[in-house]
Amino acid sequence: MLRKSLLITALFASSFSLFAQYPAHKLPAYKTTTEIQLATERRTTDKHVFGKGGFIMPAKVRYPGEYEESQAVAISWSPDYDNNGNIIGVDTYSVFGYVSAQLAKYISDELPVWIRVPFAGDTLKVKAFMNDLGWPLTNNYVFLITTGDDWWIRDYGPNGVYLGDKDSALAFIDLKYYDGRDNDDIYPKVLANYMGIQNFESRLYGEGGNLMSDGFGSVFFSDMFMDANQQQRGWNQTQILDSITNLLGATRNVKLQGLQCDGGTSHIDLYTKLIDEQTLLVMQYPSIITAADKRIIEDNYQYMTTLKSTYNRPYRIYRFPMPTGDTGTYNRKNCAQIDGDARTYINGITLNKTFIYPTYSDDFDGNKTQSAEAQAIYEKYLPGYKVIPIDARAVSPGGGSIHCITMQIPANNNVLFWHPSVDGFQPIQANYAIQARITNISGIATAECKWKLRGTSTWNSVTLTSDTTGLFTGNITPGTVTSTDFIDYYLTATTNNGKTAVKPITAPDGFYTIRFTENPTAVEDLEVRAKNYLFGAYPNPASSRLTIPYQLTQTANTVISIMDITGKEIKRIERSNAQSGLTNEEIDVTQMHTGIYFYTLYANGNRIDSRKFIVR
C-alpha cells in the first residue's frame, strides 16, 4: 500500500500543472483549429439521404439505453506522445495513465474491460503499471492492438444497436468522426471485426457524447448535430432527422439547444443524463454564474419537463449541482472561464451495477466537501449501485470527462423490461397492479414480482402471467398497511434459454418503493417539477417568421407583449384559456424594422419572463 501511495503521489506531483491546461500533443474532445480547417477542405455536397446510394438498415433497429445490461466496456488507454505529437505507446507515467488505470480496475471489477493500445509491447507496460498500483489484471480484460489518435472513445464509437425482433442481433452504427482523426474513425470497424458483427458505416456526422437514448425510441441530441451535417454534408433538417430515425430506430427525435461554454463540443452528456427510461439528471448552475450556458441549460431542462416517457407520463428530473473550483468557490463564472475547464458531475457511465463518475478532489486537495455531497446525492439517485468517483481535474480541461473516454458494449441475449413502475406516493388500497412487457430472443419462461414490507426480511413472490399480447400482469396484495409503511419490489424473469434478469438491474439491492405519505423523505425531495416558462424565440435573428415557445403548467389566459428598444409596445398577442403544456406562437416579422426587440409573457396577469430577439 505504501508503494501505491508513493506512486500516486508522484503521478500527481509531476502532473499537477496539467490541471490548469491540457497538454499540447493530447487531442481534446472538441475539434482543434486544424481539424476545423480540414473539415472545411473536405466538405462534401453528398446529399444522399439514408438508404440511397449506400447501405440499407434492417427494418427494426433499437438503440438501447446506457443503463441496460452491457457485456463489456471499451476504453482506449491514454496514449504517450513524442515531441512531434506522434503516438509512441501508452502513458504509464502521468495522471492521464492513472485515470486509464482506474477505469481498467473499476470496470473489470464489474464486467470485462476491452483496452485499446497502439503496440503489442504496450500490453506488458499496462500490466506492469497495474501491478505497481496493486490492481493486477488477472481476468475480465482484453487488449485490442490497433493504432488510434486519442482516448475519446465515446465520440468515435462504436454505438451499439439491436436488430430484429426481440433484440435478435447486435450491430454497430459507425458515425463519421472528426476529419483528421482517421485512425479513431475506423475503430468501430476494428471492434466489429473482433466481435464478428455488422458495422454500418454512416455518412452522418456525429459523436456518441451527443446521443442519448431511453431504449424505447426517444433519441436526444443537440442542435450541434444538425449544424455539423448541414455544414459538412449540405443536408437539410428533414434529411438529418430521417437519418437518425433510420440508423437508431428513433420514434422521437429530441433536439436540445447546444451549449456555448462547454469546451467546444456542445455534447449533451456534459449536462444531462438518463439514469433509466423515465428519469433524467440535469446540471444546475448557481445564480453567481453569468455564462450563457446557465440559461441554455434551464431552457433545455424546462423543455424536457414537457416531454413524456415511454410510459406516457412526465420524466422524473433531478438537478445536480455544478462543481466548484479547487478552493470551493465558483471562480469560473463567465463563458470564457468555464470554457477552459467545463466541470460536470453528470458525465459518468453506468455499467451494469456500477456507476463511475467524475469528481474534482483527492486526498490532497480540491473541494472534498462538495465531492462528498455529490457522492451522497448519487447514492440517493442510484439505489443498489456501487458508485465510484474518479478525480477528473486533469481530464476536464480537454472538453470532456469520464463518460467521454468509455463506451459500453450492449449485452448479447438481452432481456428487455418495459415496466411502468408503481412507486412514489400511492393511496392505500387492497391491490397494486403490476404490468410489464418482457422480451428475449428465446422467449420468457417465467416472470415474477418480488415484494416485501420495509423492515421485513422475506421477499414475497407474485407470479406474473402473460396474455396473448405479451403483457405480463399480477398484483401486490399487501394486507394491512399504514401511512408510515413502505413496500419495496422488483421484477425477475427467466428466459427459455436459461438466463435470469431483474428490473431494476441492481435488484435485490436496488428496488422500486411504494410509500403512503405525500411528504417525501428520500430522493423524491430532490425531484423538480415543470413551471410556467418562456423559451428563447427562434430563429434568432429572424427575417420572416419568428416562433416564441412557452410552457404552462395549467390552462391560463396569456399575453405576449412585444416592445421595441424604446419600450413601445408594437404587437400584443392575447389567448384565452391557453392550454397547459408547450405552445409555439408564430409571428410574422416582415413588417418590423431591423433591430432588437423584447417580448414578455404574462399568464393570468402575472409576468413570467422577458427575453429578446433580433430582426434583420
Side-chain angles (χ1 to χ4, degrees):
M1 289 300 294
L2 178 60
R3 183 180 182 185
K4 176 181 174 182
S5 178
L6 291 173
L7 178 58
I8 295 171
T9 302
L11 287 170
F12 277 85
S14 65
S15 304
F16 188 80
S17 63
L18 297 179
F19 292 157
Q21 61 182 16
Y22 213 59
H25 294 314
K26 189 159 186 59
L27 294 171
Y30 51 86
K31 290 181 183 178
T32 65
T33 302
T34 300
E35 289 165 348
I36 293 172
Q37 178 60 37
L38 184 60
T40 301
E41 293 172 3
R42 290 184 178 179
R43 183 184 186 279
T44 72
T45 55
D46 180 359
K47 294 184 181 294
H48 284 301
V49 291
F50 187 87
K52 296 180 180 178
F55 61 85
I56 299 177
M57 288 292 291
K60 191 174 179 72
V61 181
R62 188 177 75 85
Y63 186 25
E66 182 185 308
Y67 39 80
E68 297 181 42
E69 184 187 3
S70 297
Q71 62 175 296
V73 172
I75 67 172
S76 287
W77 194 282
S78 182
D80 189 21
Y81 300 85
D82 64 18
N83 291 333
N84 296 316
N86 301 308
I87 292 177
I88 56 175
V90 291
D91 178 347
T92 55
Y93 64 88
S94 82
V95 68
F96 298 104
Y98 181 56
V99 169
S100 291
Q102 290 176 87
L103 288 173
K105 152 67 176 169
Y106 297 133
I107 293 168
S108 63
D109 283 348
E110 176 71 37
L111 74 172
V113 57
W114 295 353
I115 306 169
R116 185 183 75 171
V117 295
F119 307 111
D122 291 324
T123 63
L124 299 178
K125 292 180 183 178
V126 167
K127 286 184 175 181
F129 187 53
M130 296 295 287
N131 285 337
D132 285 342
L133 288 168
W135 299 329
L137 287 173
T138 56
N139 53 40
N140 253 13
Y141 73 93
V142 170
F143 284 112
L144 291 150
I145 303 165
T146 182
T147 265
D149 297 303
D150 219 296
W151 65 348
W152 305 105
I153 193 170
R154 172 70 49 179
D155 293 331
Y156 50 81
N159 292 284
V161 297
Y162 290 111
L163 307 178
D165 290 330
K166 300 178 181 179
D167 298 344
S168 56
L170 179 64
F172 288 155
I173 300 299
D174 187 358
L175 303 180
K176 177 69 180 72
Y177 188 48
Y178 297 162
D179 293 284
R181 302 193 196 184
D182 300 338
N183 292 319
D184 283 344
D185 199 19
I186 65 171
Y187 189 59
K189 181 188 294 185
V190 173
L191 204 51
N193 289 339
Y194 166 74
M195 296 177 66
I197 64 174
Q198 287 182 282
N199 180 59
F200 294 96
E201 295 181 62
S202 170
R203 298 182 180 92
L204 189 71
Y205 279 85
E207 299 87 55
N210 207 9
L211 289 171
M212 181 173 70
S213 170
D214 73 345
F216 294 94
S218 291
V219 177
F220 296 71
F221 50 90
S222 81
D223 50 16
M224 180 71 170
F225 211 101
M226 311 298 290
D227 294 343
N229 286 283
Q230 288 172 343
Q231 294 166 10
Q232 300 304 315
R233 286 291 184 227
W235 294 354
N236 60 38
Q237 180 167 295
T238 299
Q239 291 172 314
I240 298 167
L241 294 177
D242 284 349
S243 292
I244 295 172
T245 296
N246 285 280
L247 282 166
L248 302 175
T251 56
R252 178 175 66 176
N253 291 311
V254 181
K255 181 168 66 73
L256 304 173
Q257 185 180 354
L259 301 185
Q260 298 176 9
C261 321
D262 63 349
T265 65
S266 288
H267 289 172
I268 62 174
D269 67 347
L270 292 175
Y271 71 91
T272 189
K273 184 177 190 64
L274 278 160
I275 57 175
D276 61 36
E277 68 272 23
Q278 59 182 338
T279 309
L280 283 154
L281 299 183
V282 182
M283 188 161 70
Q284 186 170 32
Y285 283 9
S287 58
I288 196 172
I289 302 299
T290 60
D293 283 357
K294 180 173 70 174
R295 188 66 179 252
I296 294 171
I297 290 174
E298 291 308 301
D299 282 358
N300 287 333
Y301 149 64
Q302 286 296 334
Y303 171 58
M304 287 188 282
T305 67
T306 71
L307 303 176
K308 291 186 177 180
S309 74
T310 183
Y311 306 125
N312 197 33
R313 56 198 188 194
Y315 284 100
R316 295 167 176 167
I317 303 179
Y318 302 123
R319 305 306 299 271
F320 218 109
M322 175 190 184
T324 68
D326 285 358
T327 61
T329 62
Y330 288 103
N331 56 322
R332 296 181 177 91
K333 301 175 185 178
N334 62 39
C335 194
Q337 292 169 335
I338 291 174
D339 218 25
D341 186 3
R343 297 185 176 191
T344 170
Y345 289 117
I346 299 290
N347 194 258
I349 180 174
T350 308
L351 41 138
N352 295 354
K353 297 185 179 184
T354 295
F355 182 75
I356 304 174
Y357 73 99
T359 191
Y360 302 91
S361 67
D362 57 21
D363 292 338
F364 309 102
D365 56 16
N367 188 348
K368 300 177 188 178
T369 299
Q370 192 185 42
S371 292
E373 292 170 352
Q375 179 76 11
I377 293 173
Y378 264 129
E379 288 173 356
K380 282 187 177 182
Y381 289 155
L382 300 171
Y385 281 87
K386 180 192 293 185
V387 180
I388 300 173
I390 290 181
D391 186 356
R393 286 178 292 168
V395 185
S396 55
S401 200
I402 300 303
H403 190 249
C404 306
I405 54 177
T406 52
M407 177 58 88
Q408 72 281 357
I409 307 298
N412 293 313
N413 193 27
N414 182 57
V415 179
L416 177 65
F417 290 82
W418 180 91
H419 169 56
S421 57
V422 183
D423 54 352
F425 170 72
Q426 301 289 331
I428 295 176
Q429 54 196 45
N431 298 294
Y432 296 92
I434 302 297
Q435 59 178 344
R437 294 192 186 278
I438 312 172
T439 55
N440 172 261
I441 187 173
S442 71
I444 303 300
T446 61
E448 292 181 311
C449 172
K450 302 282 191 178
W451 70 273
K452 66 183 178 70
L453 284 174
R454 180 82 56 86
T456 62
S457 58
T458 302
W459 291 96
N460 304 289
S461 294
V462 175
T463 298
L464 302 179
T465 57
S466 169
D467 63 16
T468 56
T469 69
L471 182 68
F472 288 84
T473 58
N475 288 295
I476 294 176
T477 306
T480 302
V481 294
T482 69
S483 62
T484 59
D485 284 325
F486 296 87
I487 295 175
D488 300 327
Y489 81 91
Y490 67 94
L491 307 185
T492 180
T494 301
T495 67
N496 288 328
N497 60 19
K499 179 174 182 176
T500 297
V502 292
K503 176 77 171 179
I505 197 172
T506 55
D509 297 322
F511 38 74
Y512 300 108
T513 296
I514 301 172
R515 56 181 171 83
F516 306 105
T517 174
E518 291 191 78
N519 298 316
T521 58
V523 71
E524 290 87 353
D525 62 356
L526 299 169
E527 186 176 351
V528 290
R529 302 289 192 272
K531 64 180 182 180
N532 292 335
Y533 196 79
L534 178 64
F535 293 94
Y538 66 90
N540 192 3
S543 57
S544 56
R545 298 198 67 80
L546 179 80
T547 299
I548 298 178
Y550 63 87
Q551 169 185 289
L552 299 176
T553 59
Q554 57 187 8
T555 300
N557 298 323
T558 62
V559 173
I560 294 178
S561 173
I562 299 176
M563 294 177 290
D564 64 19
I565 199 168
T566 68
K568 178 183 177 182
E569 184 177 78
I570 61 167
K571 191 180 288 286
R572 186 178 184 88
I573 304 163
E574 299 184 18
R575 294 280 182 262
S576 297
N577 297 318
Q579 297 300 302
S580 62
L582 185 64
T583 297
N584 291 313
E585 196 73 62
E586 291 196 1
I587 298 170
D588 184 349
V589 299
T590 55
Q591 301 304 311
M592 297 170 64
H593 297 296
T594 299
I596 298 173
Y597 294 85
F598 300 89
Y599 60 103
T600 302
L601 172 66
Y602 299 88
N604 291 335
N606 298 313
R607 179 183 176 278
I608 305 304
D609 200 2
S610 294
R611 304 184 74 153
K612 70 178 180 180
F613 65 88
I614 297 172
V615 173
R616 63 180 178 188

